Amino acid sequence: MGLAAYASHPERSRGRRFPEPEAPTRTAFQRDRDRIIHSTAFRRLVYKTQVFLNHEGDLFRTRLTHSLEVAQLGRSIARSLRLNEDLVEAIALAHDLGHTPFGHAGQDALHTCMKALTPVGTTVDAGSDGGWGFEHNLQSLRVVDKLEERYPAFDGLNLTFETREGILKHCSRANAQRLHAQDASGVAQRFLQGGSPSLEAQLCNLADEIAYNAHDIDDGVRSGLLTLEQLDEVPLFEQYHRQALSAHPQLGGRRLLFESIRLMLSDQVYDVIDTTRERIEVSGVDSVDAVRARGPLVAFSVDMGARSQVLKGFLLRNLYRHPQVMETTDRARRVVTELFAFYMQQPTELPDAHARSEHLARAVADYIAGMTDRFAIREHERLSGASLFP
């Protein structure tokens, strides 16, 4: 079964920032995926936090395993909707390349450090220190556009517009204006003029949510911070927990948890497929341009979306803000904040290329964002003499 008319067809791609000959055996989106997999930033994801710091256990999700799960879910849904699986995979594998060490705690700390350099009420141009703040989606785009150094003719990975569009799934208006001013490709245009990205990009955004809700339940129970009794307070999980017990009355332990999550994932996938197929049909879109001119089409049903939001709220209150997690993330913020201050005061401690940068704060942010959890901890200990993590 071929691609639908509303899917992203590689032969109709808007192309790359730097023209290159087509690969003889791969489509443009397959080539993007391969470049992402071979990138340095992709390998670093194995040692970057999802919820639990890398050293806290070998079996917790990392940014790498999370990205792989997003790609798997995305491809499964894309196949049923006749979307481009290769593009979905490329976007999914790249969407967190710009994430800092220590997950959102590191991102928030780095954003605070950068914004503090911008006086209130001033206008800062795109290249200057501070003005961008720090957004991990924007940093992911920066990684593939500039920071990867693999090719003789250009910086970055020179990915197609469609993959870059999907990577930039969120962007503040101020940063979109700055990006649009320096990038004529239009990758930030929708944040200024409205509209949506491709269906493949929309799908990755929702697959991301489905994946982290499911695996954070698993990791939360594995860590001992969540119990099945607590989770039964969440209607979305309780429904599938009850189904699993009804079908397998003797099931218990991790098998019961896995079966409950499996049933939940399957139902969410089928819900997205059915809802999105119906929305596409009603909309009448027959091309990627028609998709971009409309609001989002990839979605949960109203009921599933509401129940998913309840689950997200539960995880926020009971896992992400659990005192044990908060205590760890407070230390993580301190590591990032103190590293930033130290490098700003002593740039000679940076690698030469970063130390020579015209925009020191951005170079410091790039360097810290590229660190793995364990490297950031070691570097902080080396520079400060303080050990914040046992």
Side-chain angles (χ1 to χ4, degrees):
M1 188 163 56
L3 293 177
Y6 47 73
S8 295
H9 293 246
E11 67 275 12
R12 302 174 198 160
S13 169
R14 292 194 186 182
R16 305 179 187 276
R17 299 171 77 200
F18 303 96
E20 295 183 69
E22 293 298 321
T25 59
R26 295 172 294 169
T27 70
F29 302 146
Q30 290 171 339
R31 199 178 191 186
D32 282 357
R33 175 203 58 207
D34 297 347
R35 288 182 174 189
I36 290 160
I37 288 173
H38 287 278
S39 69
T40 301
F42 184 72
R43 292 195 297 278
R44 288 183 179 133
L45 295 180
V46 73
Y47 295 116
K48 290 196 177 190
T49 289
Q50 184 63 28
V51 173
F52 297 95
L53 297 193
N54 181 257
H55 70 277
E56 293 183 297
D58 292 340
L59 299 180
F60 294 125
R61 266 65 171 198
T62 66
R63 287 285 159 189
L64 180 63
T65 56
H66 164 69
S67 298
L68 293 172
E69 291 183 32
V70 175
Q72 181 272 316
L73 285 167
R75 290 198 73 143
S76 295
I77 297 170
R79 187 174 300 122
S80 292
L81 294 173
R82 296 170 59 203
L83 300 180
N84 193 300
E85 293 182 49
D86 298 319
L87 177 57
V88 167
E89 186 175 27
I91 295 169
L93 295 179
H95 82 281
D96 270 351
L97 291 182
H99 231 302
T100 60
F102 313 122
H104 288 282
Q107 171 187 274
D108 293 344
L110 201 50
H111 179 68
T112 299
C113 290
M114 292 295 287
K115 292 301 289 184
L117 299 177
T118 309
V120 175
T122 60
T123 300
V124 184
D125 67 30
S128 64
D129 285 352
W132 293 83
F134 186 88
E135 296 176 1
H136 84 265
N137 290 124
L138 192 60
Q139 188 70 12
S140 294
L141 186 66
R142 184 169 168 80
V143 167
V144 301
D145 280 357
K146 180 175 177 60
L147 299 182
E148 281 289 323
E149 297 178 336
R150 305 186 67 84
Y151 300 97
F154 48 77
D155 290 334
L157 302 180
N158 199 29
L159 304 181
T160 61
F161 171 88
E162 290 77 10
T163 299
R164 296 171 62 240
E165 173 189 52
I167 290 171
L168 193 65
K169 69 177 185 178
H170 300 300
C171 187
S172 68
R173 183 172 182 83
N175 280 341
Q177 289 171 332
R178 296 183 180 105
L179 182 58
H180 190 65
Q182 67 172 225
D183 180 0
S185 73
V187 72
Q189 193 168 356
R190 74 182 188 276
F191 300 103
L192 303 175
Q193 299 179 1
S196 301
S198 69
L199 290 172
E200 287 83 1
Q202 295 179 40
L203 173 53
C204 284
N205 197 11
L206 193 51
D208 186 24
E209 176 182 329
I210 295 171
Y212 66 65
N213 278 344
H215 63 51
D216 288 354
I217 289 174
D218 183 12
D219 284 352
V221 173
R222 182 183 295 277
S223 71
L225 302 186
L226 296 179
T227 65
L228 288 177
E229 289 72 25
Q230 282 179 292
L231 284 160
D232 276 340
E233 300 170 10
V234 182
L236 181 61
F237 181 83
E238 188 275 338
Q239 171 186 347
Y240 302 106
H241 187 200
R242 185 165 24 89
Q243 283 184 21
L245 280 174
S246 177
H248 309 280
Q250 306 305 314
L251 203 59
R254 297 204 60 78
R255 288 178 188 262
L256 175 58
L257 175 65
F258 291 153
E259 180 63 6
S260 302
I261 293 173
R262 185 188 69 79
L263 291 171
M264 184 181 76
L265 278 172
S266 294
D267 225 16
Q268 287 184 304
V269 165
Y270 300 143
D271 182 90
V272 171
I273 291 170
D274 292 342
T275 304
T276 303
R277 187 177 282 139
E278 180 180 347
R279 287 164 67 101
I280 289 172
E281 184 176 346
V282 169
S283 73
V285 293
D286 58 1
S287 68
V288 179
D289 287 341
V291 168
R292 291 192 174 105
R294 296 187 61 88
L297 293 171
V298 179
F300 284 130
S301 64
V302 173
D303 177 63
M304 184 64 80
R307 289 190 292 156
S308 178
Q309 286 300 313
V310 171
L311 173 57
K312 289 173 71 173
F314 170 86
L315 291 172
L316 177 64
R317 294 188 302 273
N318 294 280
L319 181 61
Y320 311 143
R321 291 182 179 169
H322 189 285
Q324 185 174 320
V325 173
M326 292 298 291
E327 192 274 334
T328 302
T329 56
D330 286 346
R331 283 184 283 161
R333 288 189 185 94
R334 181 178 165 189
V335 167
V336 170
T337 301
E338 292 181 1
L339 279 174
F340 187 90
F342 192 93
Y343 290 132
M344 290 297 293
Q345 294 166 6
Q346 300 190 47
T348 54
E349 291 291 341
L350 292 164
D352 288 345
H354 292 77
R356 293 194 305 267
S357 173
E358 179 183 358
H359 302 297
L360 178 60
R362 184 56 56 191
V364 170
D366 287 340
Y367 187 53
I368 294 174
M371 292 180 176
T372 61
D373 292 8
R374 61 184 187 177
F375 181 78
I377 291 169
R378 288 200 307 266
E379 188 71 350
H380 177 267
E381 188 171 338
R382 179 182 74 84
L383 296 173
S384 70
S387 178
L388 297 184
F389 292 92

